Amino acid sequence: MSETIDVVLQPVGRTPGVLEPPLAKYKPQIVVLFTSEQSYADITIEHIEHSWRKHIRSLPEVIVKIVETPWTSDTADRYMVEFDNAVKEIENMDIAKNKHINWHVGTAGGTNLMAIASALSAFTHRFSVYGSLDSDFYPSSNTEDLAIEIELFNNLGPGFKALQKKRGMKFMKFITRTGPVQTDEIIKFDKSSKQNVSAGLIPLRNANLIADTDFGWVATNVGKSLLALMDYEEE
């Protein structure tokens, strides 16, 4: 089994504290800071080296990406370019060579447009996503527990894989269009056996693209989102 490293990609503005929970939770070897000003990155790095040092075994390598004026209409585009550049840079670093990389993308910090761009970047790369809760409102929680993983994004990889199969896409379209729908109706639609239909439904269910309710199979929000993105490939 190959070695793994953890990478945290975090937008940062005037509140560097958004990085503390993921630092404590993932203990990353590499941290990428997306910020509009170098001074915001500098104070965050100081926290990593001093007040947050207790959370990590060793100091991570820190990469800083500057996204200037992060409140204009092209902010998301510029942020996503820097995000892509950071991913390529990390993949070519010696510390990452021949290792599995666990990517963790933050959506709290910086401007609202930076948070949106961060989520879109994670969606594009199929990376896991977390949000950071404010410790002031959760005084009894451990620091690492304030990094909340957003499950919808964690299903993207398996979801894409499931919908790349012809039968998976066929069933997903049918359930989205006609659901709630019973298994017997899907068998009739597919003109096949219960065994074959079950084999087609299992990957969709495991990827959280569909859910079995009291009224039948229905598409989940992540299922509808992925179908909207991938449907054109099957037309």
Side-chain angles (χ1 to χ4, degrees), residues 135-209:
S135 60
D136 289 344
F137 296 97
Y138 301 90
S140 62
S141 296
N142 294 325
T143 303
E144 58 267 27
D145 294 333
L146 297 177
I148 306 297
E149 294 190 351
I150 303 174
E151 293 184 1
L152 183 148
F153 287 87
N154 293 338
N155 290 307
L156 293 181
F160 271 104
K161 185 176 181 180
L163 291 185
Q164 284 172 344
K165 296 178 179 178
K166 189 172 182 180
R167 176 180 288 167
M169 176 62 81
K170 179 182 178 181
F171 287 0
M172 190 70 216
K173 285 183 179 181
F174 181 68
I175 293 169
T176 301
R177 185 172 64 247
T178 61
V181 58
Q182 299 291 334
T183 301
D184 288 346
E185 296 176 75
I186 301 175
I187 293 172
K188 189 180 297 184
F189 163 75
D190 194 46
K191 298 177 182 178
S192 64
S193 67
K194 183 175 182 179
Q195 183 178 4
N196 287 338
V197 167
S198 294
L201 292 175
I202 288 172
L204 300 179
R205 183 192 62 196
N206 290 347
N208 195 33
L209 301 183

Side-chain angles (χ1 to χ4, degrees), residues 3 30-31 36 48 57-58 70-71 74 91 107 135 147 149 189:
E3 290 185 62
I30 302 173
V31 171
S36 59
I48 294 172
R57 291 181 288 271
S58 58
W71 49 81
D74 65 341
E91 289 176 337
T107 56
S135 60
E149 294 190 351
F189 163 75

